[in-house]
Amino acid sequence: MSPTSSSLHQRTLHKPYTSLFHNPSPDNPSKPYYISILLNRTTFLLLLTLLIFLGVFSPWIGNHSTFFTPSTLSSEAKWRGYTLPEAVSFVAKNGSTVIVCAVSQPYLPFLNNWLISIKRQKHHEKVLVIAEDYATLYTVNGRWPGHAVLIPPAPDAQVAHKFGSQGFFNFTSRRPRHLLQILELGYNVMYNDVDMVWLADPFPYLKGNHDVYFMDDMSAVKPLDHPNVLPPPGKKGRTYICSCMIYMHPTAGAKLVMKKWIEELQVQPWSKAKKANDQPAFNWALNKTAGQVDLYLLPQAAFPTGGLYFKNQTWVDETKGKHVIIHNNYILGFEKKIKRFKDYNLWLVDDHASESPLGKLE
């Protein structure tokens, strides 16, 4: 083979190898080869370092929310843009009724307890959680997509507000606006506080076509056949109806009560001297619209206040089998409410969390 042929043969042999990289420069034909080797080693070391990092820190990442994947971020953006009309349409897809609660993060255990009792009555798919902070929004929708919505603006950072505090007032005073919006969308709406437990299906008691249904907050025993009308005013000139459980049809009368409730909250805002809450305003709204609205008082035996159910065992025994929704009120304090529920075997989340649509919350 001639020198010319040999040189051509050598260039041909090297061509497939060097073509994987940049074309050799005239001054230093072998330079791209060494650069490529160097780059390959650097890339390999970077990949090795990354794998070691993930191996060491992936358990930590799995248990904390400091690192967000693109899917997590897109999911949170989706729920931030989720609107009340969309949410109501989703939960009411099999009917015209929405069961609503308003919850901030500290009350998630109570939400879970309440949900278990509702699921046992097969009405959980109607539930819409109005989240009062983004942590609650993401927690609920992360486990039960579509069942939570946040209506801006979100209140300040939520804590377990003490009854009578300004934070508690700020939290509860948003309630009639939420309910009015749902009524305006054309849906029946039931509101519940989450410190309640369902022992039976309440819907058979929501008969007729009344505008607003509610329960008495007085602990005095009523006859089993008491009239289903707004009770007479008490010592403060108004009734003592509980704002914890309300059911409404989307009628002009129900909307009028909600609008009046909003007005009363504006007239009597919270102050240090007068620690207002939403319930007196609700009662004034009922009292001032009573002649224009069809109101319905639910049976006491089925919907007792906590001041009766937890403090009058004789009455509980006499009305056994009639109780439908129990409200854990007439007691203050987060831990005290949990203890009372446990004492009466109504704290379900410890042993029955798997029954909740949210599962076990850490």
Side-chain angles (χ1 to χ4, degrees):
M1 184 181 293
S2 66
T4 304
S5 300
S6 176
S7 297
L8 179 61
H9 178 67
Q10 290 176 3
R11 286 198 298 272
T12 303
L13 287 175
H14 283 290
K15 185 174 181 180
Y17 187 79
T18 58
S19 65
L20 296 174
F21 311 107
H22 299 291
N23 292 327
S25 67
D27 299 329
N28 188 0
S30 62
K31 184 177 179 181
Y33 170 75
Y34 292 111
I35 291 174
S36 300
I37 293 295
L38 180 60
L39 288 174
N40 279 352
R41 287 176 178 173
T42 303
T43 303
F44 173 77
L45 289 173
L46 286 172
L47 288 173
L48 182 61
T49 303
L50 179 60
L51 288 173
I52 293 171
F53 175 83
L54 290 174
V56 172
F57 290 101
S58 60
W60 187 89
I61 293 173
N63 294 326
H64 294 75
S65 59
T66 304
F67 292 82
F68 297 98
T69 64
S71 60
T72 301
L73 292 173
S74 63
S75 175
E76 291 188 356
K78 170 186 175 181
W79 297 126
R80 276 180 175 266
Y82 193 44
T83 66
L84 183 64
E86 290 173 330
V88 170
S89 177
F90 174 76
V91 302
K93 56 183 176 290
N94 295 322
S96 60
T97 298
V98 183
I99 302 170
V100 174
C101 65
V103 182
S104 59
Q105 188 178 25
Y107 289 91
L108 284 174
F110 283 94
L111 169 64
N112 223 15
N113 198 65
W114 176 71
L115 281 174
I116 292 168
S117 71
I118 292 179
K119 188 175 180 183
R120 290 179 176 183
Q121 305 305 324
K122 299 179 172 57
H123 287 294
H124 58 289
E125 291 299 339
K126 301 182 181 78
V127 170
L128 176 61
V129 178
I130 297 181
E132 295 291 351
D133 52 54
Y134 287 102
T136 301
L137 178 71
Y138 302 146
T139 297
V140 175
N141 281 341
R143 293 168 173 263
W144 198 24
H147 283 270
V149 65
L150 188 146
I151 303 171
D156 295 334
Q158 295 295 324
V159 295
H161 292 301
K162 182 180 178 181
F163 179 83
S165 67
Q166 184 172 11
F168 184 86
F169 177 81
N170 294 342
F171 175 72
T172 58
S173 63
R174 290 161 53 90
R175 183 187 314 176
R177 296 183 183 277
H178 302 333
L179 298 179
L180 178 59
Q181 284 182 272
I182 296 171
L183 292 173
E184 295 285 8
L185 290 169
Y187 294 88
N188 303 323
V189 59
M190 176 195 282
Y191 174 81
N192 273 195
D193 280 353
V194 291
D195 60 343
M196 306 185 95
V197 169
W198 290 23
L199 300 182
D201 186 348
F203 284 94
Y205 296 84
L206 305 174
K207 56 190 177 183
N209 295 307
H210 308 288
D211 294 319
V212 185
Y213 302 68
F214 44 78
M215 56 182 279
D216 202 336
D217 205 23
M218 296 295 286
S219 57
V221 175
K222 294 177 178 289
L224 291 178
D225 60 347
H226 68 79
N228 302 107
V229 297
L230 187 68
K235 293 179 181 179
K236 295 184 179 180
R238 57 170 169 76
T239 50
Y240 290 87
I241 297 303
C242 190
S243 59
C244 57
M245 192 288 178
I246 308 168
Y247 178 75
M248 293 175 287
H249 294 295
T251 60
K255 294 172 189 176
L256 178 63
V257 172
M258 293 299 101
K259 291 173 183 176
K260 193 63 180 175
W261 190 2
I262 294 167
E263 288 178 15
E264 292 297 323
L265 286 166
Q266 292 170 342
V267 170
Q268 299 184 19
W270 189 93
S271 67
K272 289 184 178 180
K274 188 174 183 180
K275 298 182 178 181
N277 65 78
D278 71 305
Q279 185 158 304
F282 177 60
N283 277 267
W284 283 121
L286 291 174
N287 297 167
K288 293 179 180 181
T289 60
Q292 309 166 62
V293 180
D294 185 353
L295 304 175
Y296 187 86
L297 177 66
L298 292 162
Q300 184 188 55
F303 301 87
T305 184
L308 179 57
Y309 185 84
F310 294 109
K311 296 188 177 184
N312 190 332
Q313 189 59 46
T314 300
W315 178 87
V316 171
D317 293 339
E318 291 174 349
T319 56
K320 186 177 181 180
K322 298 180 182 296
H323 313 135
V324 177
I325 294 183
I326 307 303
H327 186 205
N328 195 357
N329 64 344
Y330 275 72
I331 189 171
L332 298 178
F334 193 86
E335 297 301 330
K336 289 181 180 179
K337 283 178 179 279
I338 293 177
K339 182 181 184 304
R340 183 199 257 176
F341 266 155
K342 288 182 176 180
D343 291 343
Y344 283 80
N345 296 316
L346 296 175
W347 189 246
L348 309 174
V349 293
D350 288 345
D351 299 323
H352 305 283
S354 61
E355 295 183 42
S356 168
L358 302 180
K360 186 175 178 61
L361 297 173
E362 298 298 334

